[in-house]
Amino acid sequence: MKIIVKVKTKAKEERVEKIGEGAFTVWVKEPAEKGKANSAVIKAVAKHFKIPRSNVQIVSGLSSRQKIIIIEL
C-alpha cells in the first residue's frame, strides 16, 4: 500500500491522523535533523498500522515534509 504523509516535527505528542484516501498527517517529537524525524515517522506509522517497522519504507521525500511511504501489510 502506498500512502502520502505530511510530517509535522517538534510536536508535543506523537500521533497519526488520516486526512483523506491514502493521505495522513504525522506529528513527531523529534526535530528534522540527521534523519531523526524520518525514523520517528516510520515508528509512528508502523505503530498506527500495527505492523513491524521493517514493513514501512520511505520511498520519496527523505528531506521534505511531504513523503511517500510504502507499507507491506
Side-chain angles (χ1 to χ4, degrees):
M1 169 169 51
K2 186 193 301 188
I3 63 170
I4 297 171
V5 172
K6 186 173 181 183
V7 179
K8 307 259 185 174
T9 59
K10 298 182 186 176
K12 291 184 180 182
E13 62 177 322
E14 281 191 2
R15 65 184 176 123
V16 178
E17 183 178 298
K18 187 171 184 175
I19 56 173
E21 188 63 38
F24 294 82
T25 301
V26 178
W27 287 264
V28 294
K29 293 180 182 179
E30 285 74 10
E33 57 186 32
K34 298 180 183 174
K36 292 179 184 177
N38 287 335
S39 296
V41 167
I42 289 171
K43 183 179 173 184
V45 169
K47 185 177 178 181
H48 178 77
F49 286 101
K50 297 177 177 72
I51 58 173
R53 280 185 268 182
S54 60
N55 291 10
V56 180
Q57 181 181 8
I58 300 173
V59 293
S60 177
L62 285 172
S63 60
S64 173
R65 287 183 185 265
Q66 187 161 323
K67 303 178 184 310
I68 297 176
I69 296 179
I70 299 282
I71 299 172
E72 296 176 26
L73 298 175

